[in-house]
Amino acid sequence: MENSRHISEVEASPSTAWSDFMALIKIGIVNSNLIPVFAGLWLALIYNGQHFLQSLDTVIFTLLGSAFIMAGSCAFNNYIDRDIDPIMERTKSRPTVTGRISGGKVLTVGFTFVILGLILIFLTNATAGFIGIVGVFSYVVIYSMWAKRKLVSNTVIGSLSGAVPPLIGWAAIDPSLPTMAWMLFLIMFIWQPPHFYALAMRRTEEYRAAGIPMLPVVKGFAATKRSIVMWVALLLPIPFFMTALGIPFVILATLLNVGWLVMGIAGYRMKNDIKWATLMFVYSLNYLTIIFTAMVIFAVI
């Protein structure tokens, strides 16, 4: 009885309710993906000769809309994964697992946020809105409901939705989507497999217990390390299609790519695979933040 009363008090706590809500919508993922959205917006404004303040309504609609569809999609993902999340250490405390947020409320948040977000994005133009729909559908249906549980290529398939944010940002300003916009998409798409494979190496036994066919579970660490290096190598030519941002950016991006590749190759000599995976994972997080921040800065230098 005492324990039940304690749980009720925790459930009633505003701070706990807020933290549960933030966990439900995966606020960390939402925040990190807003950086590429803004980068796409910003670059499109610069290269189309438009002023930020004069396009402020479009900027607000795009950023808010993108945040809502990402938050709603993450809520759907949490709902779908209720059966496997209790098995994994990093997900077992999610409010959908503990029961602090009911399934009905999760679905309400998911549908409300996705619909509201799409409305806001469609207020910019139909191209951006359609890309938003593709992102939601590919993440919720294709990845979360199907590929994640069935295919070893799940990470690659999931990378499609993860690469959509900068395209939404650019399309909101310039629906023609020139080469530069697709380079942003490719950076995001190629970045994800090495990032998530490194994470999967660190959580292999959890994924194995949950029955998720992640690459290190199915193919082992050696094959995963080869795949990580291959994907990182695919980033090498991308900066040379972005010369409009200036040679300094091309040099910086190339150095970031080479540094990641060198670290990846060094993994073949490291005996501790988990330590190497951790280094690669941390590098990938810094890589994405630095390269998209650099785009915003070098576009106006």
Side-chain angles (χ1 to χ4, degrees):
M1 181 68 71
E2 183 66 30
N3 188 51
S4 298
R5 183 164 63 249
H6 174 69
I7 292 174
S8 298
E9 290 171 354
V10 170
E11 289 176 344
S13 168
S15 61
T16 302
W18 179 250
S19 63
D20 283 343
F21 177 72
M22 291 293 101
L24 176 67
I25 64 172
K26 302 184 182 181
I27 191 63
I29 291 177
V30 174
N31 288 338
S32 62
N33 277 283
L34 283 177
I35 297 174
V37 175
F38 181 79
L41 266 168
W42 182 256
L43 294 183
L45 286 169
I46 297 297
Y47 290 108
N48 284 277
Q50 299 184 33
H51 296 288
F52 181 83
L53 291 179
Q54 292 177 349
S55 305
L56 193 57
D57 56 341
T58 300
V59 172
I60 292 173
F61 290 154
T62 306
L63 291 176
L64 281 179
S66 297
F68 277 128
I69 65 170
M70 287 186 285
S73 297
C74 286
F76 280 129
N77 176 263
N78 274 340
Y79 180 85
I80 294 165
D81 284 351
R82 288 176 302 166
D83 60 328
I84 60 174
D85 281 347
I87 302 171
M88 304 185 66
E89 187 66 29
R90 72 183 182 89
T91 59
K92 68 180 184 180
S93 61
R94 285 177 176 171
T96 43
V97 175
T98 61
R100 289 196 296 265
I101 300 181
S102 68
K105 290 181 180 178
V106 173
L107 290 178
T108 299
V109 170
F111 280 112
T112 301
F113 276 27
V114 166
I115 292 171
L116 179 58
L118 288 175
I119 290 173
L120 289 171
I121 296 174
F122 267 104
L123 287 175
T124 65
N125 59 65
T127 301
F130 176 74
I131 295 172
I133 291 174
V134 170
V136 172
F137 182 81
S138 60
Y139 180 68
V140 175
V141 179
I142 298 178
Y143 172 70
S144 297
M145 296 179 66
W146 176 62
K148 179 176 181 178
R149 296 162 181 261
K150 300 293 184 181
L151 303 175
V152 70
S153 57
N154 53 15
T155 301
V156 178
I157 293 171
S159 296
L160 174 63
S161 59
V164 160
L167 276 189
I168 294 176
W170 193 294
I173 302 297
D174 176 16
S176 67
L177 295 176
T179 300
M180 182 70 81
W182 289 104
M183 291 304 106
L184 304 187
F185 172 86
L186 281 177
I187 288 175
M188 288 291 291
F189 182 82
I190 296 171
W191 170 85
Q192 289 172 90
H195 170 78
F196 286 109
Y197 287 156
L199 174 62
M201 286 179 67
R202 301 169 63 201
R203 303 286 186 176
T204 298
E205 294 310 313
E206 293 182 32
Y207 281 115
R208 193 190 311 279
I212 304 300
M214 296 296 288
L215 186 63
V217 174
V218 178
K219 301 290 186 179
F221 281 3
T224 304
K225 290 166 74 173
R226 288 195 299 270
S227 185
I228 288 175
V229 171
M230 180 202 73
W231 280 100
V232 172
L234 291 177
L235 286 168
L236 290 174
I238 302 298
F240 299 98
F241 291 91
M242 304 176 72
T243 53
L245 285 171
I247 299 302
F249 172 80
V250 174
I251 293 173
L252 173 62
T254 300
L255 289 175
L256 287 171
N257 291 339
V258 171
W260 200 3
L261 183 61
V262 169
M263 184 178 291
I265 294 173
Y268 290 104
R269 297 194 302 270
M270 290 183 66
K271 295 181 179 180
N272 190 329
D273 288 332
I274 302 302
K275 181 179 179 180
W276 174 82
T278 300
L279 291 173
M280 293 292 284
F281 179 76
V282 172
Y283 190 101
S284 69
L285 291 174
N286 289 299
Y287 173 94
L288 200 66
T289 302
I290 293 171
I291 200 164
F292 275 99
T293 301
M295 289 178 197
V296 172
I297 295 171
F298 280 105
V300 294
I301 293 180

